[in-house]
């Protein structure tokens, strides 16, 4: 009886249910960054050839993973706050997401995170800005500017982190560098907010 049950559970010829989304989910479970196609295939219990029916290569898989991470990103809501506070929160959320997933920086610079994810991020942001009484044209310009500022701050922090890792020890210089990174990020968003306010005054 037990033998028959074991044979039934290990029956051959019944392909595992797999999809593009399940491949992305498996990659996320494995860490999403420094993974191989074989690791993902093993996680799903399928052959590598099966993965290539859904994903062209490892680069595309990583792009999909980053896109999924950003699509799942819990972005702030304005909830009646002044637009400056909302813009700052959005900027910080996007910046931290790129620091956690550096590949997101390159993807954003090369044109986005995929049509669906890019449209969702832009739509969510611009809708909140439109609700504050600004024009759709201005909201779109602010979205681009915030993305550019978050890239600059994220790159600065990642470079400083790389320097800290190369030294392989924590020192007083590391604390200073952290302050520099935070100040750089604050300077970028503060300058952007000032520019936004100046532009708005021209429309009034």
């Amino acid at each position: 009886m037990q033998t028959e049950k074991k044979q039934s559970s290990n029956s051959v010829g019944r392909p595992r249910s797999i999809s593009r989304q399940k491949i992305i989910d498996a990659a996320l479970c494995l860490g999403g960054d420094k993974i191989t196609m074989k690791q993902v295939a093993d996680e799903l219990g399928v052959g590598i050839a099966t993965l290539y029916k859904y994903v062209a290569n490892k680069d595309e898989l990583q792009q999909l993973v980053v896109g999924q991470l950003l699509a799942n990103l819990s972005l702030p809501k304005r909830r009646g706050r002044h637009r400056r506070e909302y813009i700052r929160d959005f900027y910080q959320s996007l910046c931290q997401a790129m620091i956690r997933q550096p590949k997101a920086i390159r993807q954003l610079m090369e044109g986005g995170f995929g049509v669906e994810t890019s449209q969702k991020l832009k739509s969510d942001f611009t809708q909140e800005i439109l609700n504050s009484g600004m024009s759709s044209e201005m909201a779109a310009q602010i979205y681009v500017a915030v993305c550019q500022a978050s890239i600059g701050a994220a790159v600065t922090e990642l470079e400083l982190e790389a320097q800290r890792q190369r030294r392989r020890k924590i020192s007083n210089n590391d604390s200073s560098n952290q302050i520099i990174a935070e100040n750089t990020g604050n300077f970028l968003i503060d300058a952007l907010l000032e520019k936004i306010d100046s532009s708005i005054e021209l429309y009034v």
Side-chain angles (χ1 to χ4, degrees), residues 113-176:
F113 311 111
V115 175
E116 186 174 342
T117 302
S118 295
Q119 286 181 344
K120 182 180 184 302
L121 283 174
K122 185 176 182 179
S123 175
D124 290 348
F125 178 83
T126 54
Q127 186 58 53
E128 295 290 348
I129 299 299
L130 288 172
N131 291 339
S132 73
M134 299 184 68
S135 68
S136 57
E137 181 182 358
M138 179 66 74
Q141 291 176 358
I142 292 173
Y143 173 76
V144 173
V146 169
C147 287
Q148 292 174 341
S150 62
I151 288 174
V155 169
T156 299
E157 173 56 27
L158 288 168
E159 175 58 29
L160 292 174
E161 178 59 27
Q163 293 175 15
R164 290 193 286 269
Q165 289 182 0
R166 284 195 292 267
R167 287 193 297 269
R168 296 183 179 180
K169 65 180 180 180
I170 299 176
S171 65
N172 291 333
N173 288 335
D174 290 327
S175 298
S176 299

Side-chain angles (χ1 to χ4, degrees), residues 37-136:
M37 296 291 277
K38 185 178 187 307
Q39 288 174 321
V40 176
D42 291 343
E43 176 72 12
L44 292 169
V46 299
I48 295 179
T50 301
L51 297 187
Y52 287 110
K53 295 178 181 179
Y54 300 87
V55 181
N57 49 46
K58 181 181 175 181
D59 287 341
E60 183 185 12
L61 176 58
Q62 290 180 334
Q63 181 179 7
L64 291 169
V65 167
V66 172
Q68 185 69 59
L69 285 169
L70 291 169
N72 295 340
L73 182 64
S74 180
L75 294 173
K77 298 294 184 182
R78 196 169 69 88
R79 294 191 177 93
R81 296 180 299 160
H82 192 278
R83 58 176 168 267
R84 286 177 66 99
E85 295 180 30
Y86 170 70
I87 292 171
R88 182 184 292 277
D89 285 352
F90 184 92
Y91 154 85
Q92 290 174 342
S93 297
L94 190 56
C95 182
Q96 289 302 314
M98 287 191 285
I99 289 173
R100 290 193 298 270
Q101 289 291 329
K103 291 184 184 300
I105 297 174
R106 185 180 69 181
Q107 288 183 216
L108 183 57
M109 293 177 69
E110 290 179 350
F113 311 111
V115 175
E116 186 174 342
T117 302
S118 295
Q119 286 181 344
K120 182 180 184 302
L121 283 174
K122 185 176 182 179
S123 175
D124 290 348
F125 178 83
T126 54
Q127 186 58 53
E128 295 290 348
I129 299 299
L130 288 172
N131 291 339
S132 73
M134 299 184 68
S135 68
S136 57

